[in-house]
Amino acid sequence: MTAKRALLVMVMLLQGCGAAGYLLLEHGWIEEAVVQSLKNVSSMHLRSFEQLETTLDYQLALLGEVVRTTGVNEDSLRERKLLLGDETQHRWLDTVAVLDPTGKIIALDSDVPVASVLPPTVLSSYSFKDAPQYRFIYDRKVRSASFFVSRQFAAELGGGGMVTYRLIKSPDGNSLGSVIGFTSLHSLSVMLNADAARGFNLGKDGVLAILDYRTNEVLYRYTYAGDPAEGHQAEVQAISRASFQDSRYGSDVKFYRSPIDGTERLAVLAPLHNTQWLQLVAQSKDVYLAKWRVQVAFSVVVFACLCVMQWLVLGVFHQNQRQRKALKYDALHDLMTGLANRRKFFSWIKEIQHQSDRYLQSWSVLALDVDHFKQVNDTYGHDAGDVVLRTLADILRASVRDCDIAARFGGEEFVVVLPQTTQQGAVVVAERIRQSLAQKVIIANEQEIRCTISIGIAEYRPHTDLDIDQVLKQADGALYRAKAAGRNRVELNE
């Protein structure tokens, strides 16, 4: 049973290793699918953002052409005020401003509160002259540029926005001013949410973020919350490069734990805006592994149940095997003494006869009977008689060889077969048995009992006309003569 249990434990370990291996493979397959999905979403958002930048640049270029054609003066631009209003009706523009060469605002239209868009210094002077980012771009004669600004106090903007700048030049190359467009993070999120609604949703805790390539500062962060009004976030907190961990899916795929919400995610990184920004598209491990983790938990429970069932089945099988062995033993043995019964005796002695005839070897039979056994039962009780029989059975087992067989035929009658033994050899064994019992003091029911036996011996010689029954009858005849001669003796067949 111990070996079977050890084998079962090995089988269960193999089953567990197989299940664990499959779950690990499935984990890899899931992550590979997520990576491919993230790359698709990343490519889609890159195209969307590039299209947005191209559209904004084109719209501002048109406005610049109008300004260049009509001239930069308040009277002409006042007539074009309607044109600016048309531009802010587009979903990608919330505010449009036209500046003269000094940075003064000479025309402005906005769908959102101007106080939320313009910094206080710009709003008070109505000029970008002293705005650091404007001066940096304008002084270097940059044709066009884009950058993010933070407006944490302006919830209606989503916490900030993206500024697009376009320089206006005359035909001879002189600066006529500039056009600035402002797209709030809220409007940007509305456009991204439209993409998510078309099937590019990364699920709960999915994130699209734009980082500063140099500092890793979070310029824009969009979560796939389903409601565009709640999805956008602008954070000044940076994601340190140490937060990103390499993956086996390439240098552009990283694991990281967000410092903003503490969620561990798998992210695809892609350069954006001429590598000035870094687009991050990420999906929460808790989301894409949720079903897998349920499957792992279910597999563990099922595996544990299977192990218990297999253990119980092994126990039932072992119990049934023991019962079958017990039934087989009971069918071939005397239940009281443990010696062979008639069925086993005759099955075994036929093989002895076959071997004897084949190898020309004699074998002998001892017929034994307890003397005055009825008197023992009457005097000491049947329990004492059973003790006497079991004692005799123990003596027989101790007196014969492993190749011999001792059987109880019933009552106080016993038979012993001695292969490869003549009558002379059988007499030695018979005397040893008789003397052992005669010298034995049997204790039964707190009483001392002494018993004797009578033994008859018959010999089977190869290739004679005798069969097994005849040999047994000869042994019985010798036993009766021993009884008639006074008992407690051994007699040979005449």
Side-chain angles (χ1 to χ4, degrees):
M1 181 62 178
T2 302
K4 291 179 180 178
R5 285 178 175 171
L7 179 61
L8 177 60
V9 170
M10 291 181 62
V11 171
M12 290 190 294
L13 287 175
L14 290 175
Q15 291 172 342
C17 290
Y22 175 78
L23 290 173
L24 288 176
L25 284 175
E26 190 174 28
H27 179 277
W29 297 334
I30 291 172
E31 278 196 341
E32 288 175 1
V34 170
V35 168
Q36 187 59 52
S37 175
L38 289 174
K39 288 184 176 181
N40 293 338
V41 173
S42 178
S43 298
M44 182 271 297
H45 282 314
L46 283 174
R47 288 194 297 270
S48 296
F49 203 84
E50 289 171 356
Q51 290 174 359
L52 173 62
E53 285 193 301
T54 301
T55 302
L56 288 173
D57 187 68
Y58 177 74
Q59 293 299 124
L60 296 183
L62 287 179
L63 287 175
E65 181 64 23
V66 172
V67 172
R68 188 183 67 80
T69 303
T70 60
V72 183
N73 59 76
E74 295 186 15
D75 292 336
S76 61
L77 288 175
R78 209 174 279 119
E79 297 175 358
R80 303 293 182 179
K81 186 73 167 58
L82 182 59
L83 178 61
L84 297 183
D86 291 340
E87 293 301 323
T88 56
Q89 295 303 311
H90 296 298
R91 63 176 183 172
W92 53 79
L93 271 177
D94 294 306
T95 302
V96 180
V98 179
L99 314 181
D100 66 12
T102 65
K104 181 181 179 181
I105 300 174
I106 58 177
L108 183 144
D109 193 87
S110 179
D111 273 352
V112 295
V114 176
S116 300
V117 178
L118 300 180
T121 56
V122 174
L123 189 61
S124 61
S125 63
Y126 219 60
S127 173
F128 280 87
K129 178 181 178 181
D130 298 322
Q133 288 175 308
Y134 173 80
R135 295 311 312 176
F136 180 84
I137 295 172
Y138 187 79
D139 292 345
R140 285 163 177 74
K141 306 302 181 181
V142 177
R143 181 175 174 274
S144 62
S146 298
F147 55 89
F148 282 88
V149 295
S150 176
R151 297 291 183 269
Q152 293 294 330
F153 58 87
E156 67 275 11
L157 303 181
M162 186 179 71
V163 176
T164 305
Y165 167 86
R166 179 79 183 196
L167 180 65
I168 306 173
K169 287 186 177 182
S170 65
D172 56 6
N174 295 322
S175 174
L176 298 178
S178 57
V179 182
I180 292 179
F182 178 84
T183 304
S184 70
L185 298 187
H186 177 273
S187 297
L188 187 59
S189 296
V190 169
M191 288 184 284
L192 294 175
N193 192 73
D195 290 333
R198 291 198 298 268
F200 293 93
N201 195 324
L202 295 179
K204 183 178 179 293
D205 291 331
V207 166
L208 166 67
I210 298 176
L211 314 179
D212 186 286
Y213 196 89
R214 182 176 58 86
T215 65
N216 270 24
E217 178 186 349
V218 181
L219 304 174
Y220 169 71
R221 186 172 186 267
Y222 172 81
T223 57
Y224 288 76
D227 183 358
E230 299 177 358
H232 49 266
Q233 299 174 17
E235 300 285 348
V236 296
Q237 189 172 6
I239 302 177
S240 67
R241 294 191 182 275
S243 300
F244 291 102
Q245 299 177 1
D246 293 336
S247 72
R248 61 187 180 92
Y249 306 107
S251 58
D252 60 335
V253 182
K254 305 285 185 181
F255 290 101
Y256 82 102
R257 185 175 294 278
S258 171
I260 298 172
D261 57 16
T263 301
E264 187 176 3
R265 293 183 172 89
L266 177 61
V268 170
L269 305 176
L272 183 66
H273 194 63
N274 297 322
T275 69
Q276 294 181 22
W277 302 333
L278 191 65
Q279 178 182 270
L280 179 148
V281 178
Q283 190 170 9
S284 169
K285 290 184 69 175
D286 290 337
V287 172
Y288 72 74
L289 290 179
K291 292 182 179 179
W292 179 81
R293 287 170 177 168
V294 171
Q295 185 178 357
V296 170
F298 179 76
S299 299
V300 170
V301 172
V302 171
F303 178 69
C305 293
L306 286 175
C307 289
V308 172
M309 289 179 61
Q310 289 176 104
W311 192 266
L312 293 177
V313 167
L314 177 63
V316 172
F317 174 78
H318 179 68
Q319 184 177 4
N320 289 340
Q321 194 174 38
R322 289 177 59 187
Q323 289 176 347
R324 286 195 298 270
K325 288 182 178 180
L327 290 174
K328 184 177 180 181
Y329 182 86
D330 292 345
L332 299 176
H333 291 80
D334 176 62
L335 297 182
M336 179 188 297
T337 62
L339 298 178
N341 60 14
R342 283 179 176 269
R343 177 183 297 179
K344 183 175 182 180
F345 176 83
F346 282 105
S347 173
W348 185 81
I349 201 173
K350 288 178 181 178
E351 180 65 23
I352 296 298
Q353 184 184 26
H354 174 73
Q355 295 292 332
S356 175
D357 292 339
R358 181 177 180 182
Y359 297 106
L360 303 178
Q361 295 174 338
S362 299
W363 52 272
S364 299
V365 175
L366 308 183
L368 305 90
D369 189 272
V370 179
D371 298 330
H372 305 295
F373 185 70
K374 184 177 184 301
Q375 184 178 349
V376 172
N377 283 334
D378 294 341
T379 304
Y380 302 103
H382 289 279
D383 292 342
D386 293 342
V387 173
V388 170
L389 295 178
R390 284 193 288 268
T391 301
L392 176 57
D394 293 339
I395 292 174
L396 292 178
R397 276 189 287 266
S399 302
V400 300
R401 302 165 299 181
D402 292 339
C403 62
D404 302 333
I405 184 170
R408 181 188 177 206
F409 273 20
E412 67 274 23
E413 297 178 9
F414 294 82
V415 177
V416 176
V417 176
L418 306 173
Q420 304 174 20
T421 305
T422 62
Q423 280 190 340
Q424 289 72 23
V427 170
V428 175
V429 177
E431 283 295 338
R432 183 165 61 241
I433 295 171
R434 184 190 65 79
Q435 292 176 12
S436 296
L437 182 62
Q439 296 170 3
K440 183 76 173 179
V441 178
I442 302 172
I443 306 299
N445 297 330
E446 299 181 353
Q447 299 181 76
E448 293 184 359
I449 305 174
R450 290 184 178 274
C451 292
T452 61
I453 57 172
S454 298
I455 303 175
I457 300 175
E459 179 183 351
Y460 174 86
R461 294 181 177 84
H463 300 296
T464 62
D465 294 334
L466 293 176
D467 58 18
I468 296 174
D469 290 335
Q470 290 173 330
V471 175
L472 291 176
K473 287 181 180 178
Q474 289 179 355
D476 284 338
L479 172 61
Y480 293 146
R481 286 195 297 276
K483 291 279 189 181
R487 295 183 173 84
N488 189 24
R489 57 188 293 119
V490 176
E491 286 288 339
L492 298 175
N493 178 45
E494 294 180 349

